[in-house]
Structure formats: C-alpha cells, structure tokens
Amino acid sequence: MTSEPLMSGRPASGSPAPGSPAPGSPAPGDPAPGSAPAGCPGATRPARTWSVDDLPALDFDPLLTELLAKEPVSRIRLPFAAENEAWLVTRYADVRAVTSDPRFSRTALLDRQVTKMTGHMVASKAALNYADPPYHTQLRKAVTKTFTGRGTQRLRPLAQAACDRFLDAMEEAGRPADLMRHLHGPLPMAVVCDLLGIPEEDRAELASWPDLILSSGPGPEGSRAAKAQIHGYITRLLEQRRAEPREDLAGELAESLAEGRISADEAVSLAMAILISGAHAVRNNSANMVYVLLTRPDLLARLRAEPELLPQAVDELLRWIPHRNGVGLPRIATEDVEIGGVVIRAGEAVYASYLAANRDPEVFADPDVLDFDRTGIGHVSFGHGPHHCMGAMLTRMESEVMLSTLLARYPELRLAGRPEDVPFQSQGLIRGPRELYVTW
C-alpha cells in the first residue's frame, strides 16, 4: 500500500490559546510563509512550476531528476492553489529528516491552503493522514495486531487460492487476456476484503470506488459520493462485528471501539483507508512489476532460473518503479528548521519525494539501474517515520504471490502487443497500466 490512504476523523488535541497563532503559523511580525530572512539560503529562490503531466509508461519524472541533481531543496507550485508555494525535498537524507522530525506536522495542515496535486481533497481531514504522535500512535495501535508478520502469513494461503481461482477464470476466457481485469484488479481487492472480513457478495459493489477517490482529474462530486458510499458500508460492517465478533480487521476495530480506545469515526476512517489504499495501490504497483518483467526479458529469465531471488527482486522493483505521480501530502514546519542547508521557516509547507529519494546516487549506486542483486540501505517506497505504511508486509506478500504464480504457471507469458501500445492510466495519483493484455 504505497499510496497516501484516505482518512477522516478528528484533529489532534492541543489547541492554541485564544489570540495566539495556530500551530505552524508565523508569529506577528515574522516574514510570511514562502519567504526567508535576508541572508538565509533560499531567500530569493524562485519557485518551479510542476504541472505533473502524464508521463509515458514508467518513465521517471524529469523534474525530480533535475531537482535531485541541482536543487535538492527547492520551491514548487503544483497544479492547484499554485499561489501558495511549498518546499520540496528530494535527497534521501533530507526526505528521511523531514518525515521523521516532529517539527514537521501533518496536523498543522488542517484548514490550511497549500499548493497541491488535486482540486478536491483526496484524504479527508484528520485521523492517520493528518495526525501527529502521540495521537497518531494511538490510532495505529488499534490495528497493529492485524498487520504483524503473523497476520500477513494468515492471509497468504487465501491470497494464493484467490490467485489460482482468478487465473483459472482467465484461462477459461481465452487468449489474449487483460491481467488488470483478471488478476491485478480482483486479487488486491480480494485480499483486503479478506483482511477486513467483507463477504463475497458485497465485493463487486466496492470495486470501482477507490479509482473514483484516488484521481487527480476533475470529479470532486464523484470522489465525495464514493467516499460517502464506502463510509456507509464500513459503518454497517462494524456494527455487525460488534454484534457478531470475528477474527478479522473489522472485528479488531469493533473491539477497540467497544473498549473506548477509538471513536466510531476513527474506526471507520481506519477501515476506509486500508480498503481504498490497499485495493488501489497494490493493483497498480503489482501490474507495474509485471509490465517491467515482460519488457525486460533478461530480468524475467533470471527470475525463472532463480525463483529464490523473488523477494529481493520485489523489493528492488518497489524501489525502482515510480509508483505515483507527483507527491503525496506535505507537512508544515512548526518552527524554523534547517534542511539540506536551507532554512525552512515556521508555517511553510514541505513536500518529501520518496520517488526521488529512491534514486539518490549518494545512497544507491547506479540508482536508475534495476538491479536484483542490490543490497544495503533500504528504499523508502513505503514512507518513513510515523507515517510508514502499515501494509508494507502485506503488499510484498501479494506481489510475491502474483509474480511467483505467473512465472510458474505460464513459461511462455508475454505481452499480447508492443510495449509502447500498453495504455497507462491518465490523471491518476497512482501510476499503472489501464489494460495489460498478455498471451501464453
């Protein structure tokens, strides 16, 4: 689950005293956000306009490449609210610093206009996405048990059975077949539904909602309607689990709710986030992995010859694939902080690019090379710090199941057409093929 999940809930406690600045706001008389004191690095730095256009297939964003090399702490304007400039950090060390330093706050984003990717709010206010520790830590504890290694291993045979079932149906449908329709779409949805305890008969209803929400294109009404539908469904599911407890994530959330550890809104928020990001992000990134392998016969042949290399190969694919467009949610500096030799002032917004950090040549030798023998420092595709993705182990497991099954089952698996003819999604926050036709 490498995307920013959807959340709703409450803001963290700790409101400012009447008449005092809100958290992250500059004090009276301080320079306005977007400026820096005379003599500070970045004081006269112009902002770069980042249109975040659709890129061909899995091409890396050229602006990120340029900024990483020449201006690793830079000013940017994104497509919406462009007048409210923000900082962007791209180096591995700086990304880790910003995402783990408590002086950079997600809660301070509430009710603040920041230049951004979309014209509508993808992540609803508060809960995990907009929470800072210790409130953020409290929320994560409500689902910690489900996302342990033991919880992931419990789901692996279910994922394998679903994978086999979907591929059986694909073979019955005949060649060529669209893997997006037959595997990458239904399998992540099946796994996250197994995780939550959503019954089979309800799953078709849920399938299209994540795409409506995680889009950067026009459609705030569609996004809001989809969120409302998911919210209503999850609310009913949790009510059912309170009456009839089960060993699944909905049951764990219902138990936390009954014991007063989280509120009803928080329980629904957590379930919605896991459902939406788990189904959408894994679908696209697993399809990206297959696309890469089917367009790199050398890598595909090596995995067939060395199947034991698969976990390491999946990790390298996670590092190398640019799995999203642009950036996720920013943070607000709550005091002046120096990052990469640049002073970021209190009240200023800072974006961190995990994609760029994964290509930092100071950390990864030949970072643009996809190398299944790569070891050493880990990538940051699942984030870093308090907001590190809870579903990292689950995502790896699903990708391993899909790739290992395809490799073992179809020794002649190949694209049904030319690589350049594979259509990719347009105006999505998460990148991936729209269709992926194969034959075998």
Side-chain angles (χ1 to χ4, degrees):
M1 304 178 189
T2 52
S3 67
E4 295 279 3
L6 172 88
M7 292 293 174
S8 62
R10 70 177 194 196
S13 60
S15 299
S20 64
S25 298
D30 281 355
S35 65
C40 279
T44 59
R45 185 166 298 182
R48 303 290 294 270
T49 298
W50 191 7
S51 58
V52 199
D53 297 321
D54 291 329
L55 294 165
L58 295 178
D59 287 2
F60 198 76
D61 194 309
L63 181 62
L64 287 178
T65 300
E66 179 185 348
L67 294 178
L68 178 61
K70 299 178 181 178
E71 195 179 349
V73 183
S74 53
R75 302 282 304 167
I76 60 165
R77 297 188 190 97
L78 288 164
F80 294 89
E83 67 279 5
N84 301 315
E85 298 174 3
W87 292 101
L88 172 68
V89 297
T90 49
R91 286 190 305 202
Y92 187 91
D94 296 339
V95 165
R96 284 170 58 95
V98 166
T99 54
S100 60
D101 191 325
R103 294 174 294 177
F104 293 103
S105 168
R106 281 280 183 81
T107 301
L109 276 171
L110 293 168
D111 300 315
R112 181 182 291 269
Q113 281 295 322
V114 174
T115 186
K116 55 187 178 178
M117 290 278 299
T118 68
H120 60 280
M121 181 172 283
V122 173
S124 299
K125 290 185 177 180
L128 281 182
N129 261 5
Y130 288 92
D132 296 329
Y135 175 55
H136 179 272
T137 308
Q138 171 193 332
L139 289 176
R140 285 180 70 114
K141 283 182 178 178
V143 293
T144 298
K145 183 171 65 176
T146 298
F147 288 99
T148 60
R150 181 180 176 184
T152 298
Q153 289 307 311
R154 178 183 69 82
L155 290 169
R156 192 175 194 115
L158 295 175
Q160 184 64 64
C163 185
D164 293 337
R165 185 170 67 250
F166 293 139
L167 292 177
D168 287 344
M170 182 179 81
E171 290 177 21
E172 289 179 14
R175 295 172 286 186
D178 181 8
L179 282 178
M180 300 307 296
R181 176 186 172 191
H182 290 284
L183 180 64
H184 298 294
L187 181 61
M189 177 61 78
V191 170
V192 81
C193 285
D194 284 335
L195 181 77
L196 278 161
I198 294 172
E200 289 279 351
E201 60 269 21
D202 294 345
R203 297 182 182 188
E205 178 187 1
L206 300 173
S208 65
W209 292 344
D211 286 349
L212 291 172
I213 294 167
L214 293 172
S215 171
S216 63
E221 294 301 326
S223 176
R224 281 193 290 268
K227 282 187 277 190
Q229 288 177 304
I230 294 181
H231 189 283
Y233 179 86
I234 295 297
T235 299
R236 294 189 296 273
L237 180 65
L238 294 181
E239 288 171 354
Q240 184 180 26
R241 284 296 180 277
R242 292 186 73 176
E244 302 173 12
R246 291 187 188 177
E247 290 292 325
D248 51 36
L249 180 57
E252 186 177 0
L253 288 169
E255 180 182 341
S256 294
L257 177 58
E259 294 176 356
R261 288 183 275 134
I262 55 174
S263 70
D265 281 346
E266 290 162 353
V268 173
S269 300
L270 288 163
M272 287 176 67
I274 291 160
L275 173 62
I276 293 168
S277 62
H280 186 88
V282 178
R283 181 194 72 181
N284 288 289
N285 218 31
S286 63
N288 287 333
M289 292 181 185
V290 172
Y291 174 82
V292 169
L293 292 176
L294 295 182
T295 55
R296 289 287 306 272
D298 56 323
L299 298 178
L300 183 62
R302 184 168 185 204
L303 281 185
R304 290 192 187 283
E306 302 176 59
E308 70 280 1
L309 193 62
L310 184 60
Q312 189 168 317
V314 164
D315 215 47
E316 172 67 353
L317 287 163
L318 285 166
R319 180 198 71 85
W320 185 87
I321 290 171
H323 67 270
R324 68 161 300 131
N325 284 318
V327 283
L329 287 174
R331 292 161 174 79
I332 303 295
T334 58
E335 60 183 80
D336 292 0
V337 186
E338 183 174 326
I339 295 291
V342 175
V343 175
I344 296 173
R345 292 190 57 80
E348 294 187 322
V350 187
Y351 283 96
S353 174
Y354 295 122
L355 300 186
N358 282 338
R359 300 290 184 105
D360 188 342
E362 294 183 8
V363 177
F364 303 101
D366 298 319
D368 297 328
V369 173
L370 189 53
D371 180 7
F372 289 169
D373 291 314
R374 190 182 301 276
T375 58
I377 294 178
H379 61 73
V380 286
S381 295
F382 293 108
H384 180 66
H387 288 272
H388 181 271
C389 178
M390 292 183 294
M393 285 190 290
L394 186 64
T395 296
R396 286 187 172 95
M397 180 273 285
E398 292 177 70
S399 299
E400 289 175 18
V401 165
M402 282 185 264
L403 292 183
S404 63
T405 306
L406 287 172
L407 291 172
R409 188 162 174 162
Y410 305 111
E412 300 297 326
L413 186 69
R414 59 194 183 276
L415 291 177
R418 301 183 306 169
E420 58 268 30
D421 292 334
V422 173
F424 275 69
Q425 296 179 68
S426 177
Q427 293 188 307
L429 299 181
I430 306 300
R431 295 174 67 174
R434 191 171 69 247
E435 298 173 347
L436 189 59
Y437 276 90
V438 297
T439 189
W440 55 91

